[in-house]
Amino acid sequence: MVRVGLAMLQGARHEHAEALRAASQQLQIEIQVVELRSSLEVDESLDCIILPGGESTAMRKASQSESLLSALFSWMEQHPQRPVLGTCAGAILLANPGENQTPFLRAPISRNAWGRQRDSFEAEGEISLDTPSGERVSLDTAQRDKFNHQPLPVGTQTVEENSTRFHGVFIRAPRFDQSNIECTPIASFGDEVVGVLDGQRLALTFHPELTGDYRFHRWLLDKAHSAQ
Ligand code: GLN
């Protein structure tokens, strides 16, 4: 059983839960998604963590009352071998966790570097990340959660599993400072690096949870599973 901590700060968290469910079925790994809302929920039993996209300033504020972010950062310091996936605002938090906190990513990042919301875009890119292949399973439709939230209909796109291509959804995305990346680039479009791996921390400036591409979630579960 892999216990996945999903930071419920704000943003695209329900879609991540769906993507995790799909990835776990494809890998045939049993998981439990632990929704993290307060620091008390961040404990030793978590095998990996997802920091979703959203609005990083709102996330920092939202976490203050429950000290969630500081608990997540201590967990990451204590368990550098346990994998973490940060998407978009999650990547910002990893690269720039705040004052008095050493960055978790050797890749400086700038917020909203492509422009405003209307400058959001989709682009085809290349990945070079060793992701485990998954069984072909028919995924059941996403259920409404206890807050009556229906996740976006992910999984409707066909992903060519053996391809190195990926479809990137960039929503008011940040940009890595291209000339100062000191960890491994794993995703790019053209010359632009849009995903990096630093140890067991995978940071993407796009939103794989909004497409049917579960390779990054499979990477997370596989790493967490083999570290057990
Ligand atoms: N613009 C957001 C920020 O600065 C990130 C956007 C996203 O996560 N899609 O935090």
Side-chain angles (χ1 to χ4, degrees), residues 53-57 87-89 92 111-112 171-172 207:
E55 195 55 52
S56 54
T57 38
T87 53
C88 210
I92 297 173
R111 297 183 57 209
N112 304 332
I171 305 172
R172 225 147 79 82
H207 287 266

Side-chain angles (χ1 to χ4, degrees), residues 129-150:
L129 178 70
D130 199 10
T131 58
S133 55
E135 298 270 322
R136 278 191 176 275
V137 288
S138 59
L139 304 164
D140 36 329
T141 330
Q143 305 290 311
R144 281 182 190 272
D145 68 7
K146 62 184 173 195
F147 304 106
N148 204 29
H149 175 111
Q150 173 102 54

Side-chain angles (χ1 to χ4, degrees), residues 42-120:
V42 182
D43 64 26
E44 292 304 305
S45 71
L46 299 175
D47 297 302
C48 56
I49 278 178
I50 293 188
L51 296 175
E55 195 55 52
S56 54
T57 38
M59 289 176 166
R60 291 185 207 274
K61 282 201 191 107
S63 97
Q64 271 163 11
S65 61
E66 304 296 342
S67 343
L68 179 57
L69 271 183
S70 47
L72 288 168
F73 294 152
S74 325
W75 183 94
M76 285 187 234
E77 275 168 349
Q78 280 159 24
H79 305 290
Q81 295 314 319
R82 298 193 193 177
V84 176
L85 170 63
T87 53
C88 210
I92 297 173
L93 295 173
L94 288 175
N96 182 11
E99 271 173 49
N100 307 322
Q101 181 72 57
T102 314
F104 293 98
L105 217 55
R106 285 165 301 156
I109 204 164
S110 301
R111 297 183 57 209
N112 304 332
W114 299 99
R116 307 173 69 111
Q117 186 74 18
R118 63 165 178 269
D119 301 311
S120 298

